[in-house]
């Protein structure tokens, strides 16, 4: 059985946050690719393989993750429309992570030759890709730091605040997407039982609740628990 340990990578693109629309370059590049549809649970990229394709998401969502021989997993990022995966194939080396579909997903599949030709025509895109990789590296460092230095409740509090909408007039904040206790546990590297205990305590304290299947923060969560 696979066990997902934690989430890192692009915080603005992952953890259920709204996915940014594709840039002018990704839209232009997608138009040069082959549109393909993949069913839920398909493995598009396998860690260690030699790959030569870039996937630009048009609809649906992808998950990038690493796994060890015992089935433990580390989620590296979630990607939606306008985002792309597979750019690490530019150096001709092996794939650095696995990528699977979380739902039925349509991607524009770009060959390495097409990508390199586009970069030659539009060198600004190379700078855009570089900035994206730098941002991911910084966020991965922050994720590692928080895992090492912040307790489970601190990570739990930060995750809910990251996933929530701006405050309503009454001060309450609702999460953008439905998320299960198990999914939260996967993000925080803790057990589902611990998440359930935290949620129950916060519900009793009047801090959180549910609305249309989504978690609602009724007021500012306590700094410590």
């Amino acid at each position: 059985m696979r066990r997902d340990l934690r989430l890192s990578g692009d915080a603005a693109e992952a953890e259920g946050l709204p996915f940014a629309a594709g840039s002018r370059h990704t839209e232009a590049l997608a138009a040069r690719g082959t549109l393909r549809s993949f069913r839920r649970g398909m493995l598009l990229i396998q860690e260690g393989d030699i790959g030569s394709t870039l996937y630009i998401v048009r609809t649906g969502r992808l998950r990038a993750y690493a796994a060890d021989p015992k089935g433990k997993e580390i989620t590296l990022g979630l990607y939606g429309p306008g985002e792309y995966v597979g750019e690490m194939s530019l150096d001709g080396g092996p794939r650095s992570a696995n990528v699977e579909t979380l739902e039925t997903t349509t991607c524009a599949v770009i060959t390495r030759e097409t990508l390199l030709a586009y970069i030659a025509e539009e060198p600004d895109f190379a700078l855009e890709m570089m900035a994206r990789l730098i941002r991911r590296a910084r966020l991965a460092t922050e994720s590692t730091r928080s895992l090492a230095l912040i307790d489970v409740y601190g990570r739990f509090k930060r995750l809910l605040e990251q996933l929530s909408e701006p405050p309503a007039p009454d001060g309450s904040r609702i999460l953008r997407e439905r998320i299960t206790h198990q999914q939260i546990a996967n993000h925080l590297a803790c057990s589902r039982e611990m998440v359930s205990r935290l949620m129950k305590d916060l519900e009793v304290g009047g801090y959180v609740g549910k609305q249309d299947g989504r978690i609602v923060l009724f007021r500012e969560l306590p700094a410590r628990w």
Side-chain angles (χ1 to χ4, degrees), residues 179-221:
I179 186 169
T180 67
H181 289 190
Q182 184 60 60
Q183 288 170 324
I184 293 173
N186 291 345
H187 289 188
L188 303 180
C190 70
S191 68
R192 182 183 60 81
E193 290 74 19
M194 180 172 287
V195 171
S196 296
R197 288 198 299 270
L198 285 172
M199 286 294 298
K200 183 176 181 180
D201 287 348
L202 290 172
E203 286 173 358
V204 171
Y207 289 97
V208 303
K210 284 288 188 70
Q211 179 179 318
D212 297 327
R214 292 189 287 171
I215 296 171
V216 181
L217 312 183
F218 293 124
R219 53 197 176 106
E220 189 71 24
L221 298 179

Short mmCIF file of all heavy atoms in Angstrom, two decimals, residues 179-221:
data_model
loop_
_atom_site.label_atom_id
_atom_site.label_comp_id
_atom_site.label_asym_id
_atom_site.label_seq_id
_atom_site.Cartn_x
_atom_site.Cartn_y
_atom_site.Cartn_z
N ILE A 179 -11.61 18.80 1.20
CA ILE A 179 -10.40 18.06 1.52
C ILE A 179 -10.69 17.13 2.69
O ILE A 179 -11.35 17.53 3.66
CB ILE A 179 -9.23 19.02 1.84
CG1 ILE A 179 -7.92 18.24 2.03
CG2 ILE A 179 -9.52 19.90 3.05
CD1 ILE A 179 -6.68 19.13 2.08
N THR A 180 -10.26 15.90 2.61
CA THR A 180 -10.53 14.91 3.65
C THR A 180 -9.47 14.97 4.73
O THR A 180 -8.39 15.54 4.54
CB THR A 180 -10.57 13.50 3.06
OG1 THR A 180 -9.25 13.15 2.61
CG2 THR A 180 -11.54 13.42 1.88
N HIS A 181 -9.77 14.34 5.86
CA HIS A 181 -8.79 14.27 6.95
C HIS A 181 -7.54 13.52 6.49
O HIS A 181 -6.42 13.87 6.87
CB HIS A 181 -9.40 13.58 8.17
CG HIS A 181 -10.43 14.42 8.86
ND1 HIS A 181 -10.97 14.07 10.08
CD2 HIS A 181 -11.02 15.59 8.52
CE1 HIS A 181 -11.85 14.99 10.46
NE2 HIS A 181 -11.90 15.91 9.51
N GLN A 182 -7.72 12.49 5.65
CA GLN A 182 -6.58 11.74 5.16
C GLN A 182 -5.70 12.60 4.26
O GLN A 182 -4.46 12.53 4.33
CB GLN A 182 -7.03 10.49 4.40
CG GLN A 182 -5.88 9.60 3.94
CD GLN A 182 -5.04 9.08 5.10
OE1 GLN A 182 -5.54 8.40 5.99
NE2 GLN A 182 -3.75 9.42 5.11
N GLN A 183 -6.32 13.40 3.41
CA GLN A 183 -5.54 14.27 2.54
C GLN A 183 -4.76 15.30 3.35
O GLN A 183 -3.60 15.61 3.04
CB GLN A 183 -6.46 14.97 1.54
CG GLN A 183 -7.00 14.04 0.47
CD GLN A 183 -8.09 14.68 -0.37
OE1 GLN A 183 -8.89 15.47 0.13
NE2 GLN A 183 -8.11 14.36 -1.65
N ILE A 184 -5.38 15.83 4.40
CA ILE A 184 -4.67 16.77 5.28
C ILE A 184 -3.50 16.07 5.94
O ILE A 184 -2.39 16.60 6.00
CB ILE A 184 -5.63 17.35 6.34
CG1 ILE A 184 -6.69 18.24 5.69
CG2 ILE A 184 -4.85 18.16 7.38
CD1 ILE A 184 -7.76 18.72 6.65
N ALA A 185 -3.73 14.85 6.42
CA ALA A 185 -2.66 14.08 7.06
C ALA A 185 -1.51 13.84 6.09
O ALA A 185 -0.33 13.92 6.47
CB ALA A 185 -3.20 12.76 7.58
N ASN A 186 -1.82 13.56 4.82
CA ASN A 186 -0.79 13.34 3.82
C ASN A 186 0.06 14.60 3.63
O ASN A 186 1.26 14.52 3.41
CB ASN A 186 -1.42 12.96 2.48
CG ASN A 186 -2.06 11.59 2.51
OD1 ASN A 186 -1.82 10.80 3.41
ND2 ASN A 186 -2.90 11.31 1.53
N HIS A 187 -0.57 15.75 3.73
CA HIS A 187 0.16 17.01 3.59
C HIS A 187 1.07 17.28 4.78
O HIS A 187 2.11 17.92 4.65
CB HIS A 187 -0.83 18.18 3.47
CG HIS A 187 -1.57 18.21 2.17
ND1 HIS A 187 -2.37 19.28 1.81
CD2 HIS A 187 -1.64 17.34 1.15
CE1 HIS A 187 -2.90 19.04 0.62
NE2 HIS A 187 -2.47 17.87 0.21
N LEU A 188 0.66 16.82 5.96
CA LEU A 188 1.34 17.21 7.19
C LEU A 188 2.31 16.17 7.74
O LEU A 188 2.97 16.42 8.74
CB LEU A 188 0.30 17.52 8.27
CG LEU A 188 -0.74 18.60 7.94
CD1 LEU A 188 -1.68 18.78 9.12
CD2 LEU A 188 -0.07 19.91 7.59
N ALA A 189 2.39 15.01 7.09
CA ALA A 189 3.24 13.92 7.58
C ALA A 189 2.83 13.49 8.97
O ALA A 189 3.65 13.37 9.88
CB ALA A 189 4.71 14.32 7.55
N CYS A 190 1.53 13.28 9.16
CA CYS A 190 1.03 12.79 10.43
C CYS A 190 -0.09 11.80 10.15
O CYS A 190 -0.43 11.54 8.99
CB CYS A 190 0.54 13.95 11.31
SG CYS A 190 -0.97 14.74 10.71
N SER A 191 -0.69 11.24 11.19
CA SER A 191 -1.76 10.27 11.00
C SER A 191 -3.11 10.95 10.80
O SER A 191 -3.32 12.10 11.23
CB SER A 191 -1.84 9.34 12.22
OG SER A 191 -2.29 10.07 13.35
N ARG A 192 -4.02 10.22 10.16
CA ARG A 192 -5.38 10.73 9.99
C ARG A 192 -6.05 10.90 11.35
O ARG A 192 -6.83 11.84 11.55
CB ARG A 192 -6.20 9.76 9.13
CG ARG A 192 -7.63 10.23 8.86
CD ARG A 192 -8.41 9.20 8.06
NE ARG A 192 -8.48 7.93 8.76
CZ ARG A 192 -9.35 7.67 9.74
NH1 ARG A 192 -10.20 8.59 10.16
NH2 ARG A 192 -9.36 6.49 10.32
N GLU A 193 -5.74 10.02 12.29
CA GLU A 193 -6.34 10.11 13.62
C GLU A 193 -5.94 11.42 14.31
O GLU A 193 -6.77 12.04 14.99
CB GLU A 193 -5.91 8.92 14.48
CG GLU A 193 -6.51 7.58 14.04
CD GLU A 193 -5.88 7.02 12.79
OE1 GLU A 193 -4.77 7.44 12.41
OE2 GLU A 193 -6.52 6.14 12.15
N MET A 194 -4.69 11.84 14.13
CA MET A 194 -4.26 13.10 14.73
C MET A 194 -5.02 14.27 14.13
O MET A 194 -5.45 15.19 14.84
CB MET A 194 -2.75 13.29 14.55
CG MET A 194 -2.23 14.59 15.15
SD MET A 194 -0.43 14.71 15.13
CE MET A 194 -0.04 13.52 16.43
N VAL A 195 -5.21 14.27 12.82
CA VAL A 195 -5.97 15.34 12.17
C VAL A 195 -7.40 15.34 12.68
O VAL A 195 -7.97 16.41 12.98
CB VAL A 195 -5.95 15.17 10.64
CG1 VAL A 195 -6.92 16.15 9.97
CG2 VAL A 195 -4.54 15.37 10.10
N SER A 196 -8.00 14.16 12.82
CA SER A 196 -9.38 14.08 13.31
C SER A 196 -9.49 14.63 14.73
O SER A 196 -10.47 15.32 15.06
CB SER A 196 -9.86 12.63 13.28
OG SER A 196 -9.91 12.14 11.95
N ARG A 197 -8.49 14.35 15.57
CA ARG A 197 -8.51 14.89 16.93
C ARG A 197 -8.41 16.41 16.93
O ARG A 197 -9.14 17.09 17.67
CB ARG A 197 -7.38 14.28 17.76
CG ARG A 197 -7.59 12.83 18.14
CD ARG A 197 -6.69 12.42 19.31
NE ARG A 197 -5.28 12.55 18.98
CZ ARG A 197 -4.55 11.58 18.44
NH1 ARG A 197 -5.11 10.42 18.13
NH2 ARG A 197 -3.27 11.77 18.19
N LEU A 198 -7.52 16.94 16.11
CA LEU A 198 -7.38 18.39 16.02
C LEU A 198 -8.68 19.03 15.53
O LEU A 198 -9.13 20.05 16.08
CB LEU A 198 -6.23 18.75 15.07
CG LEU A 198 -4.82 18.55 15.59
CD1 LEU A 198 -3.80 18.77 14.46
CD2 LEU A 198 -4.51 19.49 16.75
N MET A 199 -9.27 18.45 14.50
CA MET A 199 -10.52 19.00 13.96
C MET A 199 -11.63 18.96 15.00
O MET A 199 -12.38 19.93 15.16
CB MET A 199 -10.93 18.22 12.72
CG MET A 199 -10.09 18.51 11.48
SD MET A 199 -10.27 20.22 10.87
CE MET A 199 -12.01 20.22 10.47
N LYS A 200 -11.72 17.84 15.73
CA LYS A 200 -12.77 17.72 16.74
C LYS A 200 -12.59 18.77 17.84
O LYS A 200 -13.56 19.43 18.26
CB LYS A 200 -12.77 16.32 17.34
CG LYS A 200 -13.88 16.10 18.36
CD LYS A 200 -13.89 14.66 18.86
CE LYS A 200 -15.00 14.44 19.87
NZ LYS A 200 -15.02 13.04 20.38
N ASP A 201 -11.35 18.95 18.30
CA ASP A 201 -11.09 19.94 19.34
C ASP A 201 -11.43 21.35 18.86
O ASP A 201 -12.01 22.15 19.60
CB ASP A 201 -9.61 19.90 19.76
CG ASP A 201 -9.29 18.67 20.61
OD1 ASP A 201 -10.23 17.99 21.05
OD2 ASP A 201 -8.09 18.40 20.81
N LEU A 202 -11.08 21.66 17.62
CA LEU A 202 -11.35 22.99 17.09
C LEU A 202 -12.84 23.21 16.85
O LEU A 202 -13.36 24.32 17.00
CB LEU A 202 -10.57 23.21 15.79
CG LEU A 202 -9.05 23.34 15.95
CD1 LEU A 202 -8.37 23.35 14.59
CD2 LEU A 202 -8.70 24.61 16.73
N GLU A 203 -13.55 22.14 16.48
CA GLU A 203 -15.00 22.25 16.32
C GLU A 203 -15.66 22.52 17.67
O GLU A 203 -16.55 23.37 17.78
CB GLU A 203 -15.55 20.96 15.71
CG GLU A 203 -15.25 20.81 14.23
CD GLU A 203 -15.66 19.45 13.69
OE1 GLU A 203 -16.17 18.62 14.50
OE2 GLU A 203 -15.49 19.22 12.48
N VAL A 204 -15.23 21.80 18.71
CA VAL A 204 -15.78 22.00 20.06
C VAL A 204 -15.50 23.43 20.53
O VAL A 204 -16.32 24.07 21.17
CB VAL A 204 -15.18 20.98 21.05
CG1 VAL A 204 -15.56 21.34 22.48
CG2 VAL A 204 -15.66 19.57 20.71
N GLY A 205 -14.32 23.94 20.17
CA GLY A 205 -13.96 25.30 20.56
C GLY A 205 -14.61 26.38 19.72
O GLY A 205 -14.42 27.58 19.99
N GLY A 206 -15.39 25.99 18.70
CA GLY A 206 -16.07 26.97 17.86
C GLY A 206 -15.19 27.63 16.82
O GLY A 206 -15.56 28.67 16.25
N TYR A 207 -14.04 27.02 16.52
CA TYR A 207 -13.13 27.61 15.56
C TYR A 207 -13.43 27.18 14.12
O TYR A 207 -13.22 27.96 13.18
CB TYR A 207 -11.68 27.24 15.89
CG TYR A 207 -11.15 27.91 17.12
CD1 TYR A 207 -11.16 27.26 18.35
CD2 TYR A 207 -10.64 29.21 17.07
CE1 TYR A 207 -10.66 27.87 19.50
CE2 TYR A 207 -10.14 29.83 18.20
CZ TYR A 207 -10.15 29.16 19.41
OH TYR A 207 -9.67 29.77 20.54
N VAL A 208 -13.86 25.94 13.94
CA VAL A 208 -14.08 25.43 12.58
C VAL A 208 -15.42 24.71 12.52
O VAL A 208 -16.02 24.33 13.53
CB VAL A 208 -12.95 24.46 12.14
CG1 VAL A 208 -11.59 25.14 12.23
CG2 VAL A 208 -12.97 23.18 12.96
N GLY A 209 -15.87 24.50 11.27
CA GLY A 209 -17.10 23.76 11.02
C GLY A 209 -17.11 23.32 9.57
O GLY A 209 -16.09 23.37 8.89
N LYS A 210 -18.25 22.88 9.09
CA LYS A 210 -18.40 22.42 7.71
C LYS A 210 -19.52 23.19 7.02
O LYS A 210 -20.54 23.51 7.64
CB LYS A 210 -18.70 20.93 7.67
CG LYS A 210 -17.52 20.01 7.93
CD LYS A 210 -16.55 20.02 6.76
CE LYS A 210 -15.47 18.96 6.92
NZ LYS A 210 -15.99 17.59 6.77
N GLN A 211 -19.34 23.46 5.74
CA GLN A 211 -20.37 24.11 4.93
C GLN A 211 -20.28 23.55 3.52
O GLN A 211 -19.24 23.68 2.87
CB GLN A 211 -20.17 25.63 4.90
CG GLN A 211 -21.21 26.37 4.06
CD GLN A 211 -20.97 27.87 4.08
OE1 GLN A 211 -20.68 28.44 5.14
NE2 GLN A 211 -21.09 28.52 2.94
N ASP A 212 -21.34 22.90 3.07
CA ASP A 212 -21.36 22.29 1.73
C ASP A 212 -20.16 21.35 1.53
O ASP A 212 -19.56 21.30 0.46
CB ASP A 212 -21.36 23.36 0.64
CG ASP A 212 -22.60 24.23 0.68
OD1 ASP A 212 -23.67 23.71 1.05
OD2 ASP A 212 -22.49 25.43 0.37
N GLY A 213 -19.81 20.62 2.60
CA GLY A 213 -18.73 19.66 2.51
C GLY A 213 -17.35 20.26 2.60
O GLY A 213 -16.35 19.53 2.49
N ARG A 214 -17.25 21.56 2.79
CA ARG A 214 -15.94 22.21 2.89
C ARG A 214 -15.73 22.75 4.31
O ARG A 214 -16.68 23.14 4.98
CB ARG A 214 -15.82 23.37 1.89
CG ARG A 214 -15.77 22.91 0.44
CD ARG A 214 -15.43 24.06 -0.48
NE ARG A 214 -16.55 24.99 -0.63
CZ ARG A 214 -16.46 26.17 -1.24
NH1 ARG A 214 -15.29 26.57 -1.72
NH2 ARG A 214 -17.51 26.94 -1.34
N ILE A 215 -14.49 22.76 4.74
CA ILE A 215 -14.15 23.25 6.07
C ILE A 215 -14.27 24.77 6.09
O ILE A 215 -13.87 25.45 5.15
CB ILE A 215 -12.73 22.82 6.46
CG1 ILE A 215 -12.64 21.29 6.56
CG2 ILE A 215 -12.30 23.46 7.78
CD1 ILE A 215 -11.22 20.77 6.73
N VAL A 216 -14.83 25.29 7.18
CA VAL A 216 -14.96 26.74 7.37
C VAL A 216 -14.21 27.13 8.64
O VAL A 216 -14.33 26.47 9.68
CB VAL A 216 -16.44 27.16 7.52
CG1 VAL A 216 -16.54 28.68 7.69
CG2 VAL A 216 -17.26 26.72 6.33
N LEU A 217 -13.41 28.19 8.55
CA LEU A 217 -12.76 28.76 9.73
C LEU A 217 -13.64 29.91 10.21
O LEU A 217 -13.74 30.94 9.55
CB LEU A 217 -11.36 29.27 9.38
CG LEU A 217 -10.45 28.33 8.57
CD1 LEU A 217 -9.09 28.97 8.37
CD2 LEU A 217 -10.33 26.99 9.26
N PHE A 218 -14.29 29.73 11.35
CA PHE A 218 -15.22 30.74 11.84
C PHE A 218 -14.50 31.95 12.42
O PHE A 218 -15.02 33.06 12.40
CB PHE A 218 -16.15 30.14 12.89
CG PHE A 218 -17.10 29.11 12.34
CD1 PHE A 218 -17.14 27.83 12.87
CD2 PHE A 218 -17.93 29.41 11.27
CE1 PHE A 218 -18.01 26.87 12.35
CE2 PHE A 218 -18.80 28.47 10.76
CZ PHE A 218 -18.84 27.20 11.30
N ARG A 219 -13.30 31.72 12.95
CA ARG A 219 -12.52 32.81 13.50
C ARG A 219 -11.05 32.43 13.46
O ARG A 219 -10.70 31.31 13.06
CB ARG A 219 -12.95 33.14 14.92
CG ARG A 219 -12.99 31.99 15.91
CD ARG A 219 -13.82 32.35 17.14
NE ARG A 219 -13.98 31.25 18.07
CZ ARG A 219 -13.36 31.14 19.22
NH1 ARG A 219 -12.51 32.08 19.61
NH2 ARG A 219 -13.60 30.13 20.03
N GLU A 220 -10.20 33.36 13.81
CA GLU A 220 -8.76 33.13 13.76
C GLU A 220 -8.39 31.91 14.62
O GLU A 220 -8.80 31.81 15.78
CB GLU A 220 -8.02 34.36 14.26
CG GLU A 220 -6.52 34.31 14.05
CD GLU A 220 -6.12 34.44 12.61
OE1 GLU A 220 -6.90 35.02 11.81
OE2 GLU A 220 -5.02 33.97 12.26
N LEU A 221 -7.63 31.00 14.03
CA LEU A 221 -7.22 29.83 14.78
C LEU A 221 -6.21 30.21 15.85
O LEU A 221 -5.39 31.12 15.64
CB LEU A 221 -6.61 28.78 13.83
CG LEU A 221 -7.54 28.22 12.75
CD1 LEU A 221 -6.78 27.21 11.89
CD2 LEU A 221 -8.77 27.58 13.35
#
